[in-house]
Amino acid sequence: MDYQKKFRVKPGEKLRLKKLDPSFTGEHESEAIAKEATEHSRAKLAHEQNLLYAEHKHSVLIVLQAMDAGGKDGTIKHVFSGLNPQGVHVASFKQPTAPEVAHDFLWRVHPHAPGRGEIAIFNRSHYEDVLVTRVHKLIDKATWTRRYREICDFEALLVRSGTTILKFFLHISKEEQLARFAQRLEDPGRNWKISEADYTERALWDDYIEAFEDAIRATSTHEAPWYVIPSNAKWFRNLAVSQIIADAMADLDLAYPPPSVNLAEIRRKYHAAAHEAVGGGKKA
């Protein structure tokens, strides 16, 4: 199945998240059945990253957004674990600091955009400034509408500079969120993730859904598309995200650059050194 096509939000599409099944797993009935396809996509992604890093012409920005417990950390852990860390960096955007608040809302974001040859992963992103701020009534409609345009302009700038942008909304149900909250309570290894805000924010679920729908509709462009990924099944989420990224990078037609040295001369030097190493060279 072509997940790029299936889950992509078309520009201006009237998105209704309630109509999209967060438990969808397509033709894969279980994690075991999907394992081979997932590993294939992860291997393809690792190969494409090698080309991206070597060619040093393009960059890739991955944006991950979700409700609390939506799986952003898990996606990073499972989808990108096979990549060379030299060419990947993760930026997390939480409540802005005082210096960040004193600047425009994109000021803290731009320094984390990927350079040529790099993949940047945003765990939350500049979209927090049209989601949390809207839901908590820190900004008015005129402001978040203006910010939609500014976000589109910012992303278009990155695209013109050679960045491929892929934005993922990890779609879980309200019931699945509560089940994951329970896991955090029961597993000592996850207790650290518990926050007082989990339940206060959960009470605003419908407001967040509406904010996500509006933001995604206003900012899913041909240049920087949004993908809504069914994420109740973590294994399917990993399959879909890895396939979409690997396929998008393959579409860049990346290639290893030509050598910057005279290979014939390097081979001559190598064979001379190898000959000397086995005792065939001149003795001092």
Side-chain angles (χ1 to χ4, degrees), residues 17 47-49 64 83 130 169 181 187:
L17 290 170
H47 172 69
E48 293 298 329
Q49 189 219 0
L64 299 177
L83 301 188
V130 292
F169 175 70
F181 283 172
D187 182 357

Side-chain angles (χ1 to χ4, degrees), residues 159-179:
V159 170
R160 288 193 297 271
S161 299
T163 301
T164 293
I165 302 176
L166 304 168
K167 301 177 292 192
F168 297 94
F169 175 70
L170 308 180
H171 182 31
I172 63 170
S173 65
K174 198 172 183 180
E175 295 74 20
E176 177 64 19
Q177 184 193 60
L178 192 60

